Amino acid sequence: MLSVEEALQKILDEVDVLEAESVPILDTLGQVLAEDIKSDINVPPLDNAAMDGFAVRSEDTKGASEKTPRYLKVIDTVMAGSISKKEVVPGTAIRIMTGAPIPTGADSVVQFELTDEGKNKDNTKIGVLEEMRPGYNVRKAGEDIARGATVLKKGTVIRSSDIGLMASTGYSRVTVIRRPVVAIISTGNELVELGRPLPEGKIYDSNAYSIAGLVKKYGCFPKLLGITHDHEEELVNKIKQAQDADMLLTTGGVSMGDYDLVKDILARDHQMVFWQVKVKPGKPLAFGKIKGRDKSGRAKSLPHLGLPGNPVSCVVGFELFVRPALLKMMGKKNLDKPTVTAIMEERVTNDSGRRLYNRAIIEKRNGHYYARLTGPQGSGILTSMALANGLVLIPEGKTIKKGETVQALMLDWNEEVNI
Ligand code: AMP
Ligand code: MG
């Protein structure tokens, strides 16, 4: 049976980075840039005021202090977005608002707080109460982005401030690696669609929803194809509906039971790469490639992960195996889940021959991370997953005593860091 690492490597070997497409910048959050973003303009375009105040010639303020104000004649007012037609000549000042271009002749801006603004009845002049040095409160043209500079490099994982950078350089669309479309099929005679009454012996299909939530979380498009019974023909036909997607996820039907048909169909009609991984929960996990044709009739091989039916196993299987595959398809390089070392607050035993991923609450106290389990850890207990913010790794055959450390995969940490 494959280890987690071996199984993941086999999956990653079989999935490719998708094509790039041009999209509006606001749709690019979390995606990978497929081009360098170069600026054709200076940002800011002109030297401008960093404070509300008066644009002055610094030499006119020599010797200025609270006791010895230097009085200047106010000859104009300039707001952000306008350009003053006047020139600041010796003995004059122009009232200026933050962001407004520095008028010709001025070399600094004295903020209102360093003038007698409001205290002087004669508003045709202003008293400056401190000496200015050249460049004071002046934001230089191009100090944020210089014309010709590469603002964002190809391969960057786009964050919200990056979208702001694209906007400030005038880009409304950019090319990014497109988001994968992930088809999701739930298998099981016991499953009922939401919105229907629940007959005796049946359960609602929750897997499709927890999995679709994860697909969205990692920036991809879920395509819910609904439920199929454990019926060969129905399943074969349903799988055909997934052909246009970039990945197929099924849940259920990969264990040892009499009606676990997913793995059988994968092995019989398509290509099974592996079945079963040394992981708990989630041993019965199948990976293969569905052979079919795309819209234009070309042969296509669709990656298929057959996730276990148990609600916790299928989520853990997604985090460990589907997530990195999707990130690779999106052009991302960092496929690792953020990890911390945490001190176990209770004893945990793993007497299985598989690596155990227990659901835990990880908390930071006094500079250390502590981990405690979220209660009963059965693979059917989805609440144990819902309460968790991390998964603690317990190696096969090991007991972790209270106070010993474990590695914890953090489920919801920000994963997008470019430097
Ligand atoms: P299976 O892997 O098909 O043997 O299913 C294992 C367990 O997971 C069974 O108890 C199923 O009822 C349950 N299960 C399978 N699919 C789903 C689903 N879509 N939603 C909720 N529970 C499921
Ligand atoms: Mg089943």
Side-chain angles (χ1 to χ4, degrees):
M1 210 183 300
L2 297 177
S3 69
V4 170
E5 286 73 20
E6 287 164 344
L8 177 58
Q9 195 53 53
K10 284 194 185 291
I11 297 170
L12 294 177
D13 286 347
E14 296 285 343
V15 300
D16 297 317
V17 179
L18 299 181
E19 326 80 70
E21 63 178 5
S22 166
V23 289
I25 56 170
L26 199 49
D27 294 342
T28 66
L29 193 63
Q31 280 179 280
V32 172
L33 253 183
E35 60 174 337
D36 282 343
I37 302 295
K38 284 209 170 80
S39 181
D40 291 337
I41 55 172
N42 275 324
V43 180
L46 299 169
D47 291 359
N48 67 89
M51 298 282 273
D52 299 318
F54 292 88
V56 298
R57 295 155 50 90
S58 52
E59 58 189 36
D60 283 354
T61 66
K62 284 246 159 62
S65 72
E66 298 253 352
K67 287 196 182 115
T68 57
R70 289 286 174 267
Y71 289 100
L72 300 170
K73 188 169 173 235
V74 181
I75 56 168
D76 197 8
T77 296
V78 61
M79 305 184 295
S82 303
I83 292 181
S84 174
K85 294 189 184 71
K86 303 263 174 60
E87 182 178 344
V88 177
V89 293
T92 66
I94 289 179
R95 200 175 164 85
I96 192 165
M97 302 303 129
T98 303
I102 304 294
T104 314
D107 64 2
S108 52
V109 172
V110 50
Q111 66 263 47
F112 287 142
E113 295 85 336
L114 298 182
T115 68
D116 62 1
E117 157 78 7
K119 291 169 200 130
N120 191 338
K121 283 190 196 78
D122 179 2
N123 60 10
T124 64
K125 63 174 194 172
I126 191 73
V128 177
L129 309 178
E130 208 173 286
E131 273 187 22
M132 294 291 107
R133 39 182 179 73
Y136 189 72
N137 284 333
V138 174
R139 300 192 291 215
K140 299 301 275 179
E143 73 171 21
D144 184 5
I145 303 164
R147 181 184 291 128
T150 299
V151 182
L152 294 168
K153 286 216 182 75
K154 181 176 171 175
T156 299
V157 179
I158 297 165
R159 303 167 78 191
S160 45
S161 298
D162 298 327
I163 297 179
L165 277 183
M166 295 171 193
S168 58
T169 44
Y171 282 80
S172 59
R173 302 177 76 90
V174 292
T175 51
V176 293
I177 308 293
R178 72 174 176 84
R179 300 176 188 275
V181 175
V182 182
I184 300 170
I185 300 172
S186 308
T187 72
N189 286 349
E190 71 278 37
L191 302 179
V192 173
E193 301 268 11
L194 297 183
R196 304 231 168 134
L198 197 62
E200 200 174 31
K202 307 282 183 183
I203 57 170
Y204 285 120
D205 168 17
S206 65
N207 287 350
Y209 293 89
S210 37
I211 292 305
L214 286 165
V215 167
K216 279 191 165 192
K217 170 178 173 173
Y218 294 117
C220 311
F221 296 122
K223 184 175 173 189
L224 272 70
L225 296 179
I227 296 167
T228 64
H229 295 107
D230 297 311
H231 180 277
E232 203 175 300
E233 204 184 318
E234 205 181 315
L235 197 51
V236 166
N237 285 331
K238 188 66 110 179
I239 289 173
K240 285 194 184 131
Q241 292 176 25
Q243 279 306 323
D244 294 339
D246 301 301
M247 179 184 278
L248 167 63
L249 299 178
T250 55
T251 72
V254 284
S255 315
M256 298 290 220
D258 294 346
Y259 297 97
D260 286 330
L261 301 173
V262 173
K263 63 176 195 313
D264 301 340
I265 291 172
L266 184 61
R268 188 193 67 193
D269 298 352
H270 303 283
Q271 182 200 343
M272 170 92 94
V273 177
F274 67 75
W275 173 55
Q276 296 193 331
V277 184
K278 273 194 274 179
V279 59
K280 187 179 174 183
K283 175 173 99 174
L285 187 132
F287 173 63
K289 303 200 96 180
I290 301 290
K291 300 213 172 73
R293 304 209 165 266
D294 66 13
K295 274 190 204 131
S296 52
R298 268 176 307 207
K300 175 177 172 179
S301 171
L302 175 72
H304 169 209
L305 274 119
L307 297 169
N310 277 307
V312 174
S313 316
C314 101
V315 170
V316 171
F318 186 107
E319 292 282 10
L320 297 182
F321 302 107
V322 180
R323 174 189 163 279
L326 290 175
L327 298 190
K328 180 178 175 190
M329 291 166 89
M330 296 171 86
K332 301 197 184 189
K333 295 282 188 286
N334 177 15
L335 309 181
D336 296 333
K337 199 91 190 133
T339 304
V340 299
T341 300
I343 300 164
M344 255 340 279
E345 294 190 280
E346 59 196 284
R347 183 189 171 91
V348 200
T349 296
N350 176 10
D351 48 19
S352 78
R354 297 174 275 146
R355 187 187 297 160
L356 177 62
Y357 287 83
N358 267 342
R359 278 72 68 205
I361 295 166
I362 319 287
E363 268 176 344
K364 194 169 186 182
R365 294 196 299 269
N366 305 324
H368 295 286
Y369 289 102
Y370 290 88
R372 63 195 146 92
L373 303 188
T374 52
Q377 297 285 302
S379 59
I381 302 177
L382 189 54
T383 40
S384 73
M385 190 77 221
L387 290 170
N389 66 345
L391 296 173
V392 290
L393 273 72
I394 317 293
E396 38 273 64
K398 266 217 138 187
T399 291
I400 304 290
K401 295 195 204 91
K402 184 178 171 180
E404 286 181 350
T405 58
V406 286
Q407 289 303 299
L409 298 185
M410 300 307 291
L411 291 170
D412 295 317
W413 272 16
N414 177 24
E415 302 174 13
E416 314 300 6
V417 177
N418 285 308
I419 43 172

